[in-house]
Each structure stands twice: as structure tokens, then as C-alpha cells.
Amino acid sequence: MAIFRTSRFWLIVTFALLVVWVIRSHVQAYNGFDISDSLIPVDEIHAGGPEKDGIPAISDPRFQSVAQSNWLKPDALVLTLDWQGQQRAYPLAILNWHEVVNDTIAGKPVLITYCPLCGSGMAFSPNVAGRNLTFGVSGLLYNSDVLLYDHETQSLWSQLKSQAISGPLKGEHLEMLPLNLEVWSDWRTRYPQGSVLSRETGYRRDYRYNPYQQYARDEGVFFPVAFSSQKYHPKERVLGVEINGQFKAYPFTELAKQKVQLVWDNFAGRTLEIRFDTRKRTGRVFNEAGAELPAVNVFWFAWYAFHPDTEIYRVQ
């Protein structure tokens, strides 16, 4: 009996050690994040290559004037924010290398995010349940889209879902703010007194080089996605809108079929005004009262991967 009890003891110890090893290996495989409680299928979370913070977020951003930003070419793309009475531009030439800017405007925190693989720029209020969060890049992807993480709780957040998918804040959402993708020459003309994110980021990067230039033209997608559609070129840009849990895409290919640069549309019980420039693939969305609504300018494949039930604006 003593031998039996000893054998059983060591069997239990061995099993426990095996469980610990599996858990540790699982965590290490996901850049140190525990995704055992994930809201999305674990096998759909992929390592993007860089480790946690291998793509460094900018948490002490510096800004310069329009006149000081003459390194930007007229057709350079920038993400622009008009918020709290201030106008700021965040060049994609910088965001391609950092993806996250933890900024503060008029004393209020704001989170700027960009995923080069999905072409998606989104701004959020990082205040969750009365707590201001700061964010970094996890090195993980879901539907080829960046998974962010907050420094305070190590929760993982899906950019395009605007939601924490694992960790202590699982299920929480970030409030999306209107952020636009624009051509530099247009924005600087409109806001000559605006502020521009500086290349003095504290990191050594060649901001003249775009590592995603060819990717944005090719049909290929680097990482698996849950849903795909052949309706449009995978990298066709669309304006994606969410209203009351319903989603609609405005492909620039469809908008280009009209000779105007403004259309009205009824969606989810609301009347929307879409202002756009199909040549530059830029656009903005407004409600009936003229207030700008959050919308994301994103590659078609990414929008569809997250919203396969999306409505699509089509010109008959």
C-alpha cells in the first residue's frame, strides 16, 4: 500500500508539473499574455513576429508646426484629429513604425492607433470605468489586425472590435473618436496652425521608408482571417460605419461611380452624409445635425473579416 500511495503521489506531482509547463508554454507562445479566457477563438490569435513592445508605442509624443513639417510630401497620408478645439496630424510614415500614440489634448488623454496590415486608423478615449489607460503593441494579431494591450491590467484589446478580448478588463469597450485619413496637402491648407507629430520619437527609425508600400497594393494578406470576400480587391479602401450594432461599408469603388463628392444615405434608422474624395480615397461621415461620426477608413478584407454581415453601399 505504501508503494501505491507513493506512486500516486508522484503521479499527481508529475501531472501538476505538466499542467504548469503547458500553461507557461501557452503564455510564452503568446508573448507572455494569458489568453485562456479569450472572447475570441485562441487558434485565431497569431504571433505577428515582433515580441511584446517590439513595435514601440509613442508615449511621450512631441509635436511641431506645419512649417516645420516640410519633410512630408504633399500626397503623404496622415491621420487627423480635430478634438477639444485642437487639430493634430499623425503621419503614417511614423505610425507605420509605432502603431500607437498615447497622447493628451487639452488635459484629456487620447489614444491614436494604426494597423498597417489592415490600413485602419482609429482614435479612442482610453478612459475605462473612470480609469485612464495607456497602451502598447502586444505583437499579436486577430484577423490580421493589431491586438493592443493596456499597461495597467495587461488586458488584450482588439483595435477593430474596440474591445478587450482577454484579461481583467475583458468585455470592456473603448469609446471611438472621429479620426480621419487625409492627404497632407489638404490638411495643412485647412489647418495651417495645426500641430504635427514629430519624428523626434526617442527611437531610431527610417521614417522616410515605408515597409508596407507594396503590401498595400498586393492582393495578398499575411495572416489568416475568419471571413473573406471577393466582392472587391482585398486592399480596396472602404469607410466603415457602426450604428447601434449595425455595420455598413462605403467602398470608394462604389462612391467613384457618381460624379459628386457627397451622398446622403439612410442606415440603421439614421440619415448620413458621406463626404469623400474617391481619387485620394478619403472621406468623412456626418449625421443629420452635421456632427461628425466616428468611421474607419480600412482595407475591405479587414472590414469584412470582422463584419461579414455588413451592409454595403452600392450605386445601381
Side-chain angles (χ1 to χ4, degrees):
M1 290 294 293
I3 295 176
F4 175 74
R5 286 195 297 269
T6 301
S7 299
R8 185 171 63 178
F9 169 77
W10 285 111
L11 182 62
I12 293 172
V13 170
T14 302
F15 179 75
L17 290 174
L18 179 62
V19 169
V20 170
W21 179 82
V22 169
I23 292 174
R24 285 183 177 176
S25 299
H26 181 77
V27 170
Q28 291 173 356
Y30 292 97
N31 289 354
F33 293 98
D34 182 2
I35 58 173
S36 58
D37 65 341
S38 175
L39 290 177
I40 58 180
V42 172
D43 61 359
E44 294 182 16
I45 297 176
H46 301 277
E51 298 180 350
K52 177 184 178 182
D53 296 321
I55 298 174
I58 298 174
S59 293
D60 185 21
R62 299 182 181 184
F63 291 86
Q64 58 190 30
S65 68
V66 168
Q68 293 171 318
S69 305
N70 55 11
W71 63 277
L72 286 166
K73 296 181 179 179
D75 61 350
L77 292 174
V78 293
L79 294 177
T80 65
L81 184 70
D82 185 352
W83 193 61
Q84 300 294 319
Q86 296 189 32
Q87 296 79 37
R88 291 191 175 175
Y90 305 83
L92 293 198
I94 298 176
L95 292 176
N96 277 332
W97 296 96
H98 296 283
E99 301 189 9
V100 170
V101 180
N102 292 293
D103 202 357
T104 301
I105 298 178
K108 295 187 177 182
V110 61
L111 173 65
I112 307 297
T113 69
Y114 180 67
C115 178
L117 295 179
C118 293
S120 50
M122 301 175 72
F124 304 99
S125 166
N127 186 287
V128 178
R131 184 180 187 183
N132 292 329
L133 305 176
T134 59
F135 287 78
V137 182
S138 72
L140 302 176
L141 302 166
Y142 168 59
N143 275 340
S144 203
D145 182 49
V146 60
L147 285 177
L148 313 167
Y149 79 95
D150 69 80
H151 297 122
E152 290 72 18
T153 74
Q154 300 293 300
S155 298
L156 283 173
W157 298 76
S158 167
Q159 183 209 33
L160 279 168
K161 287 176 70 69
S162 309
Q163 184 184 38
I165 57 95
S166 71
L169 296 178
K170 180 179 68 174
E172 294 284 352
H173 285 81
L174 292 170
E175 177 191 355
M176 189 175 168
L177 306 174
L179 183 74
N180 297 301
L181 180 67
E182 296 190 62
V183 172
W184 164 242
S185 59
D186 290 347
W187 186 84
R188 73 181 180 188
T189 299
R190 198 163 69 254
Y191 296 115
Q193 303 304 316
S195 300
V196 185
L197 182 65
S198 168
R199 289 183 292 181
E200 295 182 12
T201 62
Y203 299 94
R204 296 183 64 179
R205 299 290 188 275
D206 185 359
Y207 297 118
R208 298 167 301 177
Y209 172 64
N210 178 6
Y212 300 95
Q213 186 170 4
Q214 187 59 41
Y215 169 81
R217 302 191 188 105
D218 293 342
E219 292 190 2
V221 176
F222 287 167
F223 295 90
V225 295
F227 303 96
S228 60
S229 167
Q230 302 301 315
K231 284 187 174 70
Y232 304 101
H233 188 291
K235 309 295 175 55
E236 166 66 18
R237 282 200 169 273
V238 305
L239 281 179
V241 178
E242 176 188 359
I243 295 180
N244 298 327
Q246 299 182 55
F247 303 91
K248 189 161 187 175
Y250 295 83
F252 285 98
T253 294
E254 295 290 341
L255 295 171
K257 296 176 181 178
Q258 304 178 119
K259 296 181 180 180
V260 296
Q261 292 187 320
L262 183 154
V263 297
W264 294 89
D265 187 38
N266 294 316
F267 171 58
R270 303 285 295 277
T271 300
L272 306 181
E273 179 187 1
I274 319 298
R275 305 174 191 174
F276 55 90
D277 185 323
T278 55
R279 183 175 62 85
K280 299 173 182 175
R281 291 304 197 254
T282 60
R284 304 167 72 179
V285 180
F286 299 82
N287 65 14
E288 306 94 327
E292 186 168 8
L293 300 178
V296 56
N297 192 324
V298 60
F299 293 146
W300 163 247
F301 88 85
W303 180 258
Y304 188 85
F306 278 88
H307 311 298
D309 58 345
T310 185
E311 292 189 31
I312 302 173
Y313 177 83
R314 289 190 176 91
V315 177
Q316 301 300 326

